[in-house]
């Protein structure tokens, strides 16, 4: 089978333009020539790639798979050329990044990254919810999960934190020492609605043992920073990531409770698109995270 890479790129242009005529104009070829190339491809592959009508074009199942491979080849070729051309240039430009709310350690690391790469700027979206990279036009999303619903995404571990039960010192002074889950029943639960919901609280220790507290929250919020603030006012207890309350734990304003009941180490991942066609600025940040992993000593 002798199939030209040029022919594959012609087919990709037809798919992207949804028209033989528009593809021909972009490629500087005649419409008949473009049609001939696609027909030759189908003949060589012994399969139909496109459904053609007088008004529209649509991909067959085989055509969809073939187009994806053509795009991968385009990306590899583009990156090979760009890498050679930019090998000696300093990474620059804007990186749009989605991050969890309230991470002091992440702020510190990103500040260090900006000092190391002064020609790069950051547009940071703080959110505890799931951000779709394509819809939000994000280059990178920091997530506490490597699960990828979209097969076009990639994830690399960049650190970890501890998920813990905690309450403010002033709130705990109103109760007897907390020694078990029964003590939590008489206290107010403050819930992160996105993470824990509004019906019951599932606790898990480092050995994987699970305990369910059947209790409705006295308060529900949707960001860890607001949850921390309500804990500090003495409204109740909550489950929070260590990176959000690191300073308060050190100062004694917030106290960890029942670590044997709930204390899970959670990995953090940088999720990104286009592994083969990654801009140098994004690659610089991914590599920086690998060398300076996010972690909490708590």
């Amino acid at each position: 089978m002798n199939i030209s890479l040029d022919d594959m790129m012609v087919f990709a242009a037809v798919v992207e333009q949804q028209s033989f005529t528009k593809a021909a104009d972009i490629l500087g070829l005649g419409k008949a020539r473009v049609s001939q190339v696609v027909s030759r491809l189908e003949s060589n592959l012994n399969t139909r790639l496109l459904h053609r009508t007088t008004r529209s074009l649509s991909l067959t199942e085989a055509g969809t798979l073939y187009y994806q491979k053509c795009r991968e080849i385009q990306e590899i070729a583009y990156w090979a050329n760009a890498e050679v051309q930019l090998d000696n240039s300093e990474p620059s430009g804007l990186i749009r990044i989605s991050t969890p709310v309230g991470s002091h350690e992440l702020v510190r690391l990103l500040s260090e990254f900006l000092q190391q790469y002064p020609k790069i700027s950051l547009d940071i979206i703080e959110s505890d919810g799931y951000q779709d990279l394509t819809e939000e036009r994000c280059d990178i999303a920091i997530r506490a999960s490597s699960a990828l619903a979209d097969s076009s995404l990639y994830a690399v571990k960049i650190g970890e934190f501890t998920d813990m039960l905690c309450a403010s010192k002033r709130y705990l002074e109103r109760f007897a020492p907390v020694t078990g889950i029964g003590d939590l029943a008489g206290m107010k639960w403050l819930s992160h609605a996105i993470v824990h919901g509004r019906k019951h609280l599932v606790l898990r220790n480092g050995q994987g043992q699970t305990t369910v507290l059947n209790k409705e929250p006295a308060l529900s919020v949707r960001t860890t920073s607001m949850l921390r603030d309500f804990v500090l006012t003495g409204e109740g207890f909550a489950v929070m990531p260590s990176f959000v309350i690191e300073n308060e734990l050190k100062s004694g304003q917030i106290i960890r409770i029942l670590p044997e009941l709930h204390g899970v180490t959670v990995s953090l991942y940088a999720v990104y698109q286009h592994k083969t066609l990654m801009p140098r600025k994004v690659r610089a940040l991914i590599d920086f995270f690998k060398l300076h992993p996010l972690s909490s000593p708590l």
Side-chain angles (χ1 to χ4, degrees):
M1 185 185 301
N2 185 19
I3 294 178
S4 165
L5 290 176
D6 289 339
D7 288 357
M8 296 173 70
M9 298 305 102
V10 169
F11 168 71
V14 171
V15 174
E16 290 161 2
Q17 297 301 316
Q18 289 290 295
S19 165
F20 282 92
T21 301
K22 291 180 180 179
D25 290 341
I26 288 176
L27 296 170
L29 301 173
K31 178 183 176 182
R33 173 63 176 163
V34 171
S35 179
Q36 182 185 35
V37 166
V38 174
S39 295
R40 183 170 63 227
L41 267 178
E42 291 179 323
S43 177
N44 288 336
L45 294 169
N46 196 29
T47 188
R48 183 172 293 279
L49 300 174
L50 292 169
H51 294 301
R52 304 170 177 80
T53 69
T54 55
R55 294 185 177 181
S56 66
L57 294 174
S58 62
L59 285 165
T60 64
E61 183 177 353
T64 299
L65 294 173
Y66 195 66
Y67 170 67
Q68 291 172 351
K69 296 301 180 183
C70 290
R71 283 291 299 158
E72 289 178 13
I73 291 171
Q74 282 182 322
E75 289 185 357
I76 291 171
Y78 176 90
W79 184 241
N81 292 324
E83 194 170 61
V84 171
Q85 293 172 350
L86 299 174
D87 186 55
N88 296 318
S89 66
E90 183 179 352
S92 63
L94 176 68
I95 300 176
R96 190 174 174 88
I97 178 172
S98 170
T99 73
V101 175
S103 174
H104 304 298
E105 174 71 1
L106 181 59
V107 170
R108 184 188 67 79
L109 282 180
L110 291 177
S111 295
E112 186 178 332
F113 173 77
L114 289 173
Q115 291 172 21
Q116 185 171 329
Y117 295 97
K119 293 185 178 180
I120 290 179
S121 56
L122 300 178
D123 181 8
I124 298 174
I125 304 171
E126 276 195 302
S127 173
D128 287 338
Y130 178 95
Q131 296 293 313
D132 184 283
L133 269 70
T134 302
E135 290 185 2
E136 297 296 332
R137 296 181 292 107
C138 288
D139 298 294
I140 297 176
I142 307 301
R143 296 178 182 167
S145 172
S146 62
L148 301 173
D150 188 338
S151 61
S152 69
L153 300 178
Y154 301 88
V156 59
K157 183 178 176 180
I158 62 169
E160 57 187 27
F161 64 90
T162 303
D163 202 40
M164 57 179 64
L165 265 170
C166 57
S168 70
K169 180 181 179 181
R170 60 189 289 191
Y171 184 71
L172 292 173
E173 287 173 347
R174 295 159 49 185
F175 300 88
V178 179
T179 59
I181 192 168
D183 297 315
L184 297 180
M187 302 168 69
K188 289 184 178 181
W189 168 37
L190 312 180
S191 171
H192 191 306
I194 297 174
V195 180
H196 304 115
R198 299 174 57 89
K199 294 183 179 180
H200 56 261
L201 178 60
V202 179
L203 304 173
R204 185 174 292 106
N205 64 18
Q207 290 71 49
Q209 296 172 318
T210 299
T211 304
V212 178
L213 178 63
N214 291 309
K215 183 182 184 68
E216 289 190 4
L219 174 75
S220 292
V221 299
R222 285 167 176 76
T223 68
T224 49
S225 59
M226 181 168 284
L227 187 61
R228 176 193 59 211
D229 290 345
F230 274 111
V231 168
L232 284 169
T233 63
E235 290 299 320
F237 73 90
V239 174
M240 285 192 290
S242 55
F243 63 76
V244 173
I245 54 173
E246 182 175 351
N247 293 335
E248 291 78 10
L249 285 165
K250 289 178 179 177
S251 69
Q253 292 175 282
I254 291 179
I255 296 173
R256 184 179 184 182
I257 56 177
L258 302 177
E260 72 284 354
L261 195 65
H262 184 77
V264 184
T265 299
V266 181
S267 295
L268 278 171
Y269 297 87
V271 178
Y272 55 95
Q273 306 179 75
H274 308 305
K275 188 173 184 180
T276 59
L277 190 57
M278 184 186 296
R280 283 174 56 82
K281 58 185 179 182
V282 178
R283 169 57 65 189
L285 182 52
I286 294 292
D287 290 342
F288 182 85
F289 278 138
K290 290 179 180 178
L291 292 173
H292 306 83
L294 279 161
S295 62
S296 172
L298 306 168

